[in-house]
Amino acid sequence: MNKRGKQPQLRKAGQGILAAAILAAFGSSPAWAHGEDGTVFELGTVTIMGKRPQAGEVGEDQVASVVTRQEMQRFNRDNVGDALNLLSGVTLSNNSRNEKTISVRGFDARQVPLFIDGIPVYVPYDGYVDFNRFSTADLAAIQVAKGFSSVAYGANTMGGAINLISRKPTKALEGDASIGFAEGSERQASANVGTRQGRWYLQAGVSWLRSDSFPLSSDFRPTATEDGGDRNNAYRKDSKVSLKVGFMPNASDEYAVSYYKQDGKKGQPPSTDPTAARYWKWPYWDKESLYFISNTALGRSELLQVRLYHDRYGNEVDSYTNGSYTTLKPSGSGSVGTGRSIYKDKTNGGSITLESSRWDAHSLRLVAHFKSDDHRETDANSTLNSNFKDEFLSYAVEDNIQLSPSFMLALGAGRHEQRAKTVYSLGNPYSVPGRKSANNVQAGLYYDWSGIGRLYATAAKKTRLPTLKDRYSQRLGTFIENPNLQAEEALNYEIGYQGRAWNGAKAEAALFYSDVSDKIQSQANVVGNKSQMRNIGKVHLSGLELGVSGQYASWLEYGANFTYTELKNVSAPAVKLTDIPRRKLTAHALLRPMDQLELIAFIENNSGRWANNTLELSGFTTANLKANYRLTRQLALEAGVNNVADRNYALADGFPSAGRNWFANIRYQY
């Protein structure tokens, strides 16, 4: 039986959308994101568009769908969660386990899963990931698909997909290194090196971070569980090693093996509300992965791509009686069984994609996926409390049809099956439930307006099959398991525009709407006072995204994006949908008073968000400032301040965010 808690997510959007959409008529051209020095690993990209970008580029299928390496460095986005927050349509939050979570247009991380080079990396048991654990130091770019995503991703992309793209060297020797310091006794360092030697290449990276805490705002009012100043029990340690070896025997074929090892350790700050405080520590949060990706040309018209992967996930959470963290708490509120809960999960899987351009004006893609998830939980006595194993099998087809030089029609369909293979929970005899299935279908029409931009309209029926936790968790004895849960379903619609607003400026806009049915939600008092997860939810998600960026002159660059989101709980109008602000605005300016110096200002504004049915957290505005001085072409010094005004704000009730804090970095690139 699982004993760990998790908080749900979802949210709201409405009027004024059409009026705001008129502003979208600014014009633009199809947006492309470039990896510095051509370091994008093309085999790791996943796109809808039949026409692939040039080497070293990542194509944008939609509005605000790529974060580049340059943007991650420019705005000091050292983890994936903070990097994603640069995009419109993405909302950042925290949960009670001190995990950084995201939502994309109202869909949470189970419905918008995480991938590395097209390979799924979300935790098998509950489908979530802690985005704070994933460093950006070795990434070339991040792709985000919203609502409409390629069938090549496989199952469970109900609200889209997030794909972390690794690097690939193009020179005989290239690399970078950095070292940084920040408030809270934070220290971090990273290094990446790559080499291209004829038909072979090698890419390696290492990153390390250690932080004792983070400072709270001076306006924070102490409580019985948090005395202010440095946040209690907020330490963290993270390290990551990555290695890729590739072979390119000719111009069309490529074979690459990648290895990743992540090790983490963290404290979990208690809620500032004493009645909700948990005293937890995570002695380890580790992940180890081995991936193989290949492209093989089969004659002139076909291309075969293979992905194979093995992932191991291990973590432990220890529950304590109070803030001294000396005595384990084996039972009662805020505890895990025997005071220690140990997860050992693993995933094995693969996919085969056959692409064909044999027929004129068609780019056909056939995809098959297999994935096996295995979850094991033990306690302090090494007793096996639970063992669950699922297998997924998917088949899909995608066809991009060039209707004319300007119009392209993208069609896709897929079938996904979930089979329970092992179901064991100590003291709870289960029979293995039957097979579950879900069908997806989608269509998109793209119009390239020569010299001006791109217009597109998409519609997609997407699904998410229930996780192991959805079906089997009894949540400290307060829930009844439901092995017969079925898939959630969403109908996603979007119209968008990408192009040039004026010389040197890119503009983009999108309207989106999703109709979610059979949403997995809890139903209270099913047997006595016990609840159960059921397919009872119906939610409408809608909104608007706007963005503009450009260069006014050689000394001034600028950018801004705006998101308006409205979430309507159709099945239970009195129940608030939580954790997502109705409005989010970000803006930045980069000033170059001299060639060697960059001054960067970044502002983010969020409106209020509901934390629960009765509490709405206040909105906030934060400002960050940074200076970057390049001593030589390779060596740069950086220093800055986040939350300059020392705002006291929270993304989740009981978990205040950092107040004013400084940082400094040294970067070297060769």
Side-chain angles (χ1 to χ4, degrees):
M1 177 196 316
N2 177 61
K3 310 269 175 114
R4 304 186 188 179
K6 194 74 167 178
Q7 293 183 338
Q9 288 182 293
L10 229 35
R11 195 124 308 273
K12 278 189 134 198
Q15 291 156 338
I17 287 182
L18 291 177
I22 296 171
L23 297 174
F26 330 103
S28 77
S29 67
W32 299 98
H34 300 259
E36 287 185 344
D37 303 321
T39 57
V40 168
F41 180 47
E42 290 91 351
L43 286 187
T45 62
V46 180
T47 61
I48 288 283
M49 303 299 289
K51 186 188 219 177
R52 292 188 180 275
Q54 298 177 14
E57 297 182 341
V58 182
E60 286 191 301
D61 287 336
Q62 297 169 288
V63 165
S65 56
V66 173
V67 183
T68 67
R69 177 184 165 200
Q70 183 185 45
E71 290 169 330
M72 296 179 222
Q73 291 186 342
R74 174 172 289 177
F75 301 112
N76 279 81
R77 304 300 165 134
D78 299 325
N79 63 74
V80 169
D82 288 340
L84 289 169
N85 197 40
L86 293 171
L87 298 175
S88 61
V90 177
T91 298
L92 197 63
S93 187
N94 296 319
N95 64 25
S96 61
R97 303 197 307 196
N98 191 28
E99 293 174 334
K100 189 163 287 184
T101 62
I102 61 96
S103 70
V104 177
R105 294 180 176 175
F107 292 99
D108 66 31
R110 298 168 304 167
Q111 301 155 335
V112 187
L114 183 67
F115 298 77
I116 296 178
D117 292 333
I119 290 172
V121 294
Y122 48 90
V123 175
Y125 179 63
D126 61 11
Y128 284 100
V129 294
D130 181 357
F131 287 91
N132 214 23
R133 306 271 74 79
F134 288 83
S135 167
T136 60
D138 61 347
L139 298 183
I142 303 174
Q143 287 179 298
V144 179
K146 306 173 184 177
F148 187 80
S149 58
S150 173
V151 300
Y153 281 118
N156 297 328
T157 58
M158 185 169 90
I162 298 167
N163 188 27
L164 311 183
I165 304 174
S166 62
R167 302 190 194 187
K168 174 183 171 181
T170 58
K171 303 174 183 177
L173 183 64
E174 62 184 60
D176 60 70
S178 69
I179 185 170
F181 305 90
E183 206 157 347
S185 299
E186 180 176 305
R187 299 82 82 193
Q188 61 175 309
S190 68
N192 297 279
V193 62
T195 179
R196 173 79 178 269
Q197 301 292 330
R199 297 177 180 179
W200 292 89
Y201 62 84
L202 172 71
Q203 181 73 47
V206 60
S207 61
W208 175 87
L209 182 146
R210 179 169 181 167
S211 177
D212 294 343
S213 183
F214 63 83
L216 294 174
S217 167
S218 58
D219 292 330
F220 173 79
R221 296 183 178 180
T223 70
T225 52
E226 175 55 63
D227 55 1
D230 289 339
R231 185 68 162 110
N232 293 342
N233 200 40
Y235 66 88
R236 60 190 179 110
K237 300 177 183 178
D238 287 288
S239 63
K240 180 181 179 182
V241 174
S242 59
L243 179 67
K244 182 192 292 112
V245 178
F247 176 59
M248 298 180 294
N250 53 51
S252 59
D253 297 356
E254 185 173 352
Y255 306 88
V257 176
S258 300
Y259 172 78
Y260 294 88
K261 183 171 175 55
Q262 296 175 226
D263 294 311
K265 180 179 181 180
K266 64 178 182 178
Q268 179 173 308
S271 171
T272 56
D273 177 2
T275 63
R278 290 173 174 172
Y279 302 100
W280 285 12
K281 288 187 175 186
W282 301 73
Y284 61 92
W285 195 103
D286 300 342
K287 178 180 180 295
E288 189 172 23
S289 311
L290 184 64
Y291 305 150
F292 169 79
I293 307 179
S294 70
N295 261 1
T296 305
L298 306 177
R300 292 186 173 185
S301 302
E302 276 75 42
L303 184 69
L304 182 69
Q305 183 174 85
V306 176
R307 285 183 167 95
L308 301 173
Y309 53 90
H310 170 73
D311 272 321
R312 290 192 298 180
Y313 305 82
N315 67 62
E316 177 181 340
V317 59
D318 298 343
S319 58
Y320 294 86
T321 56
N322 55 45
S324 67
Y325 299 95
T326 55
T327 304
L328 290 174
K329 184 177 183 179
S331 61
S333 176
S335 69
V336 294
T338 69
R340 296 175 63 200
S341 174
I342 301 165
Y343 283 6
K344 292 181 180 179
D345 293 3
K346 64 181 179 181
T347 293
N348 293 299
S351 67
I352 299 176
T353 302
L354 178 65
E355 295 186 9
S356 177
S357 57
R358 181 173 296 272
W359 295 277
D360 290 344
H362 287 261
S363 178
L364 186 65
R365 180 184 287 171
L366 304 176
V367 187
H369 288 266
F370 174 79
K371 185 172 185 278
S372 173
D373 290 338
D374 191 345
H375 167 74
R376 298 172 64 88
E377 181 193 2
T378 58
D379 59 22
N381 301 319
S382 299
T383 301
L384 180 64
N385 288 328
S386 61
N387 181 203
F388 302 113
K389 183 177 180 180
D390 273 348
E391 288 183 354
F392 294 87
L393 190 62
S394 299
Y395 305 97
V397 59
E398 200 165 67
D399 191 12
N400 294 326
I401 308 168
Q402 201 69 47
L403 302 175
S404 73
S406 298
F407 281 97
M408 198 272 286
L409 177 65
L411 302 175
R415 178 175 176 81
H416 312 295
E417 295 183 354
Q418 180 187 63
R419 303 170 182 175
K421 306 300 288 186
T422 301
V423 179
Y424 170 78
S425 178
L426 184 64
N428 297 284
Y430 290 125
S431 59
V432 176
R435 181 173 58 187
K436 298 174 175 60
S437 63
N439 298 315
N440 293 359
V441 63
Q442 60 189 41
L445 183 64
Y446 296 82
Y447 174 62
D448 285 328
W449 198 349
S450 180
I452 300 177
R454 177 201 291 157
L455 295 166
Y456 65 88
T458 63
K461 175 198 169 190
K462 308 285 266 186
T463 57
R464 179 184 77 89
L465 291 159
T467 65
L468 292 166
K469 181 175 181 178
D470 288 334
R471 287 172 284 156
Y472 301 115
S473 176
Q474 296 178 10
R475 293 165 173 80
L476 288 171
T478 62
F479 271 66
I480 303 167
E481 64 281 359
N482 187 359
N484 296 313
L485 276 174
Q486 301 300 310
E488 298 177 320
E489 182 178 300
L491 299 175
N492 302 321
Y493 306 93
E494 178 179 356
I495 57 173
Y497 175 72
Q498 298 165 288
R500 297 289 169 187
W502 52 83
N503 187 35
K506 181 182 82 171
E508 51 189 13
L511 286 168
F512 61 89
Y513 174 82
S514 294
D515 184 351
V516 181
S517 58
D518 291 328
K519 180 173 171 55
I520 297 172
Q521 293 179 331
S522 62
Q523 181 163 322
N525 304 320
V526 173
V527 175
N529 61 355
K530 291 188 176 182
S531 303
Q532 187 179 51
M533 303 302 288
R534 293 187 174 181
N535 295 101
I536 57 174
K538 185 174 179 60
V539 172
H540 291 167
L541 318 172
S542 57
L544 165 73
E545 294 181 35
L546 298 173
V548 63
S549 62
Q551 185 166 335
Y552 178 76
S554 61
W555 52 271
L556 179 62
E557 297 179 26
Y558 59 89
N561 67 57
F562 172 76
T563 306
Y564 179 81
T565 310
E566 186 162 327
L567 283 68
K568 184 177 181 181
N569 193 341
V570 178
S571 55
V575 177
K576 301 295 184 183
L577 299 170
T578 60
D579 299 328
I580 301 171
R582 178 168 291 194
R583 296 178 303 279
K584 174 190 166 188
L585 172 69
T586 67
H588 74 268
L590 184 149
L591 180 67
R592 283 189 197 89
M594 61 181 71
D595 289 343
Q596 305 98 312
L597 180 63
E598 292 182 345
L599 304 176
I600 302 166
F602 185 91
I603 295 174
E604 178 179 352
N605 171 266
N606 284 218
S607 63
R609 63 183 75 191
W610 288 97
N612 54 51
N613 224 33
T614 59
L615 176 64
E616 183 177 15
L617 300 178
S618 299
F620 63 87
T621 300
T622 59
N624 304 335
L625 297 176
K626 173 183 167 181
N628 181 319
Y629 186 78
R630 195 167 290 279
L631 295 172
T632 67
R633 201 172 74 85
Q634 293 84 20
L635 184 63
L637 304 179
E638 299 178 344
V641 179
N642 294 321
N643 193 2
V644 173
D646 197 31
R647 298 297 186 197
N648 181 31
Y649 70 99
L651 303 178
D653 183 36
F655 298 91
S657 297
R660 184 189 299 115
N661 61 96
W662 60 266
F663 63 89
N665 301 304
I666 303 173
R667 297 189 187 275
Y668 181 75
Q669 184 170 340
Y670 54 93

